[in-house]
Amino acid sequence: MIICAFACAHAETKQDRQLMKHELRIGWGDQLFESLVWHNPTNIISTMPETARYTYQEDFHHDQHVWLEYQHRPNGWFSYGGMIDASDVRWTNVARDGRGQEVNRDPGHYFCNIVVMPTIRFTYLHHQYVNMYFGIGFGMGINFGTEQNAQGKHTDVGAAASISVIGLSANYKRWFWTLDAGGLYSMKNMNTIFLASSRIISVGLGVRF
């Protein structure tokens, strides 16, 4: 699909860039970090007495990153704007006895990360079919859910940053497709990390006006 989009691309002219100074795009990003950290247990205790009880986090469901970004383009190489990104992970707490048998199931556990930040982008290549750019952003990350932090609160707030090391866009009239390789990061401190190398790959669809 992406290859087809690039093959059918229509070059954005200098006049187009001068007339259409606004961009709005929506996209999807992977949850590689979340899937590596939050996953079903690899070892379930089965050699202890039946009366023993252990709680495991199981049946994880990873809702991938969904994001929305606006950019204003005062010229052909620089743009600025803002982005909001949302993602969540859901699971079930399962109580098992010392033999590994399930004795209780408690669904409905989750956490959600919301990232809000201003962003800037530098477009360093305008090709007949493909534009290439570099983008960064710094802002705020909000983590909330069913779990509590050390202070007994369900919500934590920290710093957030994003980077698009390599960004590609292909244009078809006022519409464009994007592919970004980079990362999304958010943390309260060194012991409370919300996101690390999340959204390594992002794809988006946008419109200029």
Side-chain angles (χ1 to χ4, degrees), residues 81-144:
M83 179 191 72
I84 182 169
D85 177 282
S87 63
D88 70 80
V89 175
R90 292 173 279 147
W91 69 91
T92 298
N93 282 348
V94 179
R96 297 181 179 274
D97 62 24
R99 299 297 182 184
Q101 299 300 310
E102 180 181 322
V103 295
N104 186 55
R105 180 171 288 265
D106 180 23
H109 293 266
Y110 75 96
F111 70 80
C112 182
N113 284 301
I114 305 293
V115 173
V116 181
M117 63 174 59
T119 57
I120 58 175
R121 187 188 308 156
F122 303 93
T123 301
Y124 53 86
L125 176 64
H126 290 283
H127 190 265
Q128 181 181 5
Y129 299 109
V130 178
N131 295 341
M132 297 187 67
Y133 56 85
F134 169 83
I136 56 175
F138 297 96
M140 176 178 65
I142 305 170
N143 175 278
F144 61 92

Side-chain angles (χ1 to χ4, degrees), residues 39-166:
H39 54 77
N40 289 336
T42 56
N43 182 42
I44 293 179
I45 298 173
S46 59
T47 58
M48 298 299 290
E50 234 180 279
T51 54
R53 292 292 182 270
Y54 303 93
T55 300
Y56 301 87
Q57 294 176 332
E58 301 182 23
D59 301 333
F60 280 93
H61 181 85
H62 300 82
D63 290 320
Q64 308 299 299
H65 290 264
V66 177
W67 50 270
L68 179 70
E69 183 179 26
Y70 164 78
Q71 290 269 302
H72 174 67
R73 307 190 300 169
N75 53 51
W77 62 271
F78 176 74
S79 63
Y80 62 90
M83 179 191 72
I84 182 169
D85 177 282
S87 63
D88 70 80
V89 175
R90 292 173 279 147
W91 69 91
T92 298
N93 282 348
V94 179
R96 297 181 179 274
D97 62 24
R99 299 297 182 184
Q101 299 300 310
E102 180 181 322
V103 295
N104 186 55
R105 180 171 288 265
D106 180 23
H109 293 266
Y110 75 96
F111 70 80
C112 182
N113 284 301
I114 305 293
V115 173
V116 181
M117 63 174 59
T119 57
I120 58 175
R121 187 188 308 156
F122 303 93
T123 301
Y124 53 86
L125 176 64
H126 290 283
H127 190 265
Q128 181 181 5
Y129 299 109
V130 178
N131 295 341
M132 297 187 67
Y133 56 85
F134 169 83
I136 56 175
F138 297 96
M140 176 178 65
I142 305 170
N143 175 278
F144 61 92
T146 55
E147 308 306 288
Q148 296 181 353
N149 61 17
Q151 291 74 41
K153 298 180 179 180
H154 291 275
T155 302
D156 260 332
V157 178
S162 71
I163 183 170
S164 176
V165 179
I166 300 177

Side-chain angles (χ1 to χ4, degrees), residues 158-186:
S162 71
I163 183 170
S164 176
V165 179
I166 300 177
L168 303 175
S169 70
N171 316 299
Y172 181 74
K173 299 181 180 179
R174 67 175 58 246
W175 298 93
F176 64 98
W177 297 263
T178 60
L179 174 65
D180 293 77
L184 182 64
Y185 306 82
S186 181

